[in-house]
Amino acid sequence: MASSHHPSPSASLSNPPFPSSVPPHHPTNPPLASANSKRGQPKPPLRPSASGSTAAPSSSSFKSAEVTPAARRKKRKAPEKQLPDRVAALLPESALYSQLLEFEARVDAALARKKTDIQEALKNPPRVQKTLRIYVFNTFANQNRPPASAEQQHAAVEPPSWTLRIIGRILEDGTESDTQGVAAKPNPSLPKFSSFFKRITIQLDPTLYSENYTIVWDGTRAATHVEGFEIKRRGDKEFTATIRLELNYSPEKYKLSAALTDLLRIEVDTRPRIISALWQYVKAKKLQNPSDPSVINCDPPLQRIFGEEKIKFSLVSQKLEQHLFRPQPIHLEHRVKVSGNSPAGNACYDVAVDVPIPLQKEMATFLSNTEKHRDIDTYDDAICNAIRKIHEHRRRRAFFLGFSQSPVDFINALIASQSRDLKIVSGEASRNAEKERRSDFYNQPWVEDAVIRYLNRRPAVGPEDPVHT
């Protein structure tokens, strides 16, 4: 319970440049082998030569290379729990396992739908209407005392004062008797008293309290909600305090006009429920136009509301604006007494409010709790390991079965396969040794340029070095 004189609730990576190519080194008079002399003078090299046979590499021969991040390795997926057909043919018992997988898929789909429903319910939690009992009373102290003596006047004596209290609680079953009254403890699972109000205004007698005679509590500025309010003032005179309570509807509710109330038998409700009730009335009275179901043929009660004989249902929401108003606040009056029994004026008022169902917290806990799924994940890992072992045993069975049927052909095929794999690993998969043995292979157009490139890449030969022919 809040107590106050004022309204208050209780690195980028860089790489050094490296040479992209090595400049060619060739002698001033490159000697040619006798085999090349028959073909005449060779063509000049296609690659541009450096100035001078022994020139050092120039700065243009270097270029910086940007370092690109390596491609991310994809996370290895766990093997699927579905058995392939070739494994199922070897294991007739796997039919029962396949049925269990289908049943598990249906259960997972149902759970996913239920989780979605719970998430949507948490966004707009369902509410149930209950009774909020409001207690308004006041206490007083140091009233009607005899005149103070000279000694008492010098001593510290508390002046007369009174305290106004407003508290409330939800009745559990709606028909609860008020035997405990104010002494009853609030249920911690239910919303607190102040959460049901948008604004509370208390007005004192301005003739007795000229300063701060209006106390306002605004729910939008409140940090936390409390179970009640109390206002304490000095004074020894009785007066009437006015209390104005504005309910906090979530979602927003509206008060219907008299004509719309007589038609739908609803006084205060949300806009979607009002439109739904109006649609039920149209269907019950069969007021839809047979040729155009989107048009409503208004009967006399609807004509008094919409003022038309026919109206499109898409325009109903717009037409209802003039029949929906903000709900009226609750006005209470309390006579603050400073004599007699204390507390004084123990009056209570019942107000219908919407309370979230208690299962909302349990539903939110269920969605956020991951402990219950650990056992399922453990069993899934065990199933995936078993499927992996089944695949390994199937490959071993196929290996030994092929060897038992034709050992020679199997070994030859295995050797050929291993040879192809070895060539791929060593980078010789594109070479064909049989073609390289024939002379036609060396008479192709690209051979001459290849020889020149080979000679240019050979180390420089001095004038006294022997020429290999």
Side-chain angles (χ1 to χ4, degrees):
M1 179 176 296
S3 175
S4 172
H5 292 284
H6 300 283
S8 62
S10 264
S12 60
L13 176 64
S14 61
N15 193 39
F18 54 89
S20 60
S21 61
V22 179
H25 296 274
H26 52 272
T28 306
N29 298 318
L32 299 178
S34 58
N36 293 334
S37 61
K38 299 178 181 180
R39 302 175 59 182
Q41 296 296 329
K43 295 181 180 180
L46 297 179
R47 179 176 300 185
S49 59
S51 59
S53 58
T54 59
S58 63
S59 60
S60 61
S61 300
F62 296 85
K63 66 178 181 179
S64 60
E66 297 180 357
V67 177
T68 57
R72 290 186 177 181
R73 297 170 57 186
K74 292 185 179 181
K75 186 177 180 181
R76 185 175 182 181
K77 295 183 179 180
E80 296 182 358
K81 294 187 291 184
Q82 188 72 32
L83 285 175
D85 296 338
R86 50 188 176 182
V87 176
L90 300 175
L91 300 173
E93 301 84 356
S94 63
L96 180 60
Y97 174 75
S98 300
Q99 295 176 3
L100 289 176
L101 284 180
E102 295 177 0
F103 180 75
E104 181 188 22
R106 293 198 297 268
V107 171
D108 290 342
L111 286 176
R113 291 195 300 270
K114 291 299 180 182
K115 287 183 179 180
T116 304
D117 295 342
I118 292 176
Q119 292 173 352
E120 293 297 329
L122 290 178
K123 294 179 181 178
N124 298 311
R127 297 173 177 265
V128 61
Q129 193 173 75
K130 290 192 175 185
T131 302
L132 174 66
R133 180 156 294 176
I134 305 174
Y135 300 88
V136 183
F137 60 96
N138 76 278
T139 60
F140 52 86
N142 306 319
Q143 302 287 342
N144 299 326
R145 293 183 303 179
S149 61
E151 296 179 356
Q152 292 177 345
Q153 290 179 357
H154 293 286
V157 178
E158 291 289 336
S161 62
W162 54 264
T163 303
L164 175 63
R165 289 185 172 91
I166 306 172
I167 62 176
R169 60 187 178 89
I170 296 292
L171 302 184
E172 297 294 339
D173 54 2
T175 59
E176 180 183 351
S177 60
D178 196 24
T179 56
Q180 296 178 337
V182 182
K185 294 183 179 181
N187 190 345
S189 64
L190 295 174
K192 293 186 177 181
F193 172 72
S194 63
S195 64
F196 295 104
F197 300 98
K198 184 186 301 182
R199 186 180 292 104
I200 298 178
T201 306
I202 304 172
Q203 188 170 3
L204 309 179
D205 190 347
T207 61
L208 299 177
Y209 304 93
S210 58
E211 296 181 0
N212 298 330
Y213 61 89
T214 301
I215 301 100
V216 180
W217 175 84
D218 193 349
T220 58
R221 300 181 180 181
T224 57
H225 290 291
V226 294
E227 294 292 354
F229 304 90
E230 69 175 21
I231 299 172
K232 186 176 182 179
R233 290 287 191 276
R234 295 179 181 180
D236 56 356
K237 297 182 181 298
E238 295 184 0
F239 67 95
T240 301
T242 304
I243 304 171
R244 186 172 183 263
L245 306 175
E246 298 182 26
L247 290 174
N248 181 24
Y249 293 110
S250 180
E252 191 71 23
K253 288 188 176 182
Y254 300 90
K255 179 178 175 58
L256 282 69
S257 63
L260 195 58
T261 300
D262 294 340
L263 178 67
L264 303 180
R265 305 299 178 182
I266 299 175
E267 294 183 0
V268 179
D269 213 333
T270 60
R271 184 188 296 269
R273 292 177 61 88
I274 295 173
I275 296 178
S276 177
L278 185 60
W279 174 245
Q280 295 298 331
Y281 176 84
V282 170
K283 291 199 299 183
K285 296 292 184 177
K286 299 180 179 179
L287 300 179
Q288 286 182 277
N289 193 328
S291 59
D292 188 1
S294 64
V295 177
I296 301 174
N297 298 324
C298 297
D299 57 355
L302 288 180
Q303 290 181 10
R304 287 194 297 269
I305 295 174
F306 298 127
E308 299 178 8
E309 295 182 356
K310 295 181 179 182
I311 186 175
K312 286 191 174 183
F313 195 79
S314 59
L315 301 177
V316 167
S317 179
Q318 180 180 355
K319 291 287 186 179
L320 286 178
E321 289 291 341
Q322 55 186 346
H323 295 276
L324 303 180
F325 311 95
R326 296 183 61 180
Q328 294 295 325
I330 301 173
H331 290 273
L332 305 177
E333 290 186 354
H334 175 75
R335 185 69 179 175
V336 178
K337 296 182 178 182
V338 294
S339 62
N341 296 329
S342 180
N346 189 4
C348 60
Y349 308 88
D350 290 343
V351 179
V353 294
D354 294 333
V355 181
I357 60 176
L359 293 178
Q360 181 183 3
K361 294 183 178 179
E362 298 181 5
M363 295 188 322
T365 303
F366 170 76
L367 291 179
S368 61
N369 187 10
T370 58
E371 296 292 335
K372 299 179 181 179
H373 304 296
R374 290 186 177 181
D375 293 341
I376 298 178
D377 295 339
T378 302
Y379 292 135
D380 285 342
D381 292 340
I383 293 175
C384 291
N385 291 333
I387 296 295
R388 190 183 297 109
K389 292 181 180 179
I390 291 176
H391 282 289
E392 182 64 25
H393 288 299
R394 183 194 62 81
R395 286 191 293 266
R396 292 184 180 181
R397 179 183 180 276
F399 181 87
F400 290 112
L401 184 61
F403 180 78
S404 64
Q405 293 175 353
S406 179
V408 177
D409 295 339
F410 182 82
I411 294 298
N412 291 336
L414 180 62
I415 293 175
S417 176
Q418 295 292 332
S419 178
R420 289 194 301 269
D421 295 342
L422 181 60
K423 288 182 178 180
I424 293 175
V425 171
S426 60
E428 298 180 358
S430 60
R431 294 187 59 181
N432 191 332
E434 184 63 28
K435 290 183 178 180
E436 293 179 1
R437 294 173 56 186
R438 303 179 178 274
S439 61
D440 296 340
F441 180 79
Y442 301 96
N443 291 329
Q444 300 183 54
W446 56 267
V447 174
E448 184 176 356
D449 292 338
V451 172
I452 295 175
R453 288 176 179 270
Y454 171 73
L455 294 177
N456 289 340
R457 291 179 181 179
R458 292 178 59 189
V461 181
E464 296 181 357
D465 292 342
V467 178
H468 299 281
T469 59

